[in-house]
Amino acid sequence: IGSGLVGSEMCIRDRMREEQGYSRAAFARATGIPLRTLEDWDAQRYAPTNVYQLLKAARVLGCHIEDIIEETE
């Protein structure tokens, strides 16, 4: 089980968010997802499980939920 990001590796959501020019704070405002929650997701402290938050994130990023979730082992 990972305790955080390895090297410069980013999670898919974080990479997509940055590619679209959103800071974490701006993305939190756009989605209504608490900033702390986004930080926890990005640092892989826990995997996102709230489907409503995932749907909000996917809508803002212009993709499907499946595009922004990562499989865990």
Side-chain angles (χ1 to χ4, degrees):
I1 298 176
S3 60
L5 298 176
V6 177
S8 62
E9 195 174 313
M10 292 182 173
C11 73
I12 292 169
R13 287 172 307 281
D14 206 28
R15 188 171 49 248
M16 290 177 75
R17 173 185 60 75
E18 285 190 358
E19 286 173 358
Q20 293 192 26
Y22 285 103
S23 66
R24 274 194 191 118
F27 192 66
R29 285 190 300 274
T31 60
I33 300 170
L35 180 58
R36 180 61 185 200
T37 298
L38 293 174
E39 291 170 345
D40 287 343
W41 289 358
D42 294 345
Q44 299 176 353
R45 283 189 272 278
Y46 66 86
T49 57
N50 183 318
V51 70
Y52 298 106
Q53 288 178 335
L54 285 167
L55 182 58
K56 288 178 190 179
R59 285 183 175 161
V60 169
L61 293 172
C63 65
H64 299 281
I65 289 175
E66 295 88 353
D67 298 330
I68 60 172
I69 57 174
E70 298 179 33
E71 292 185 32
T72 58
E73 294 181 24

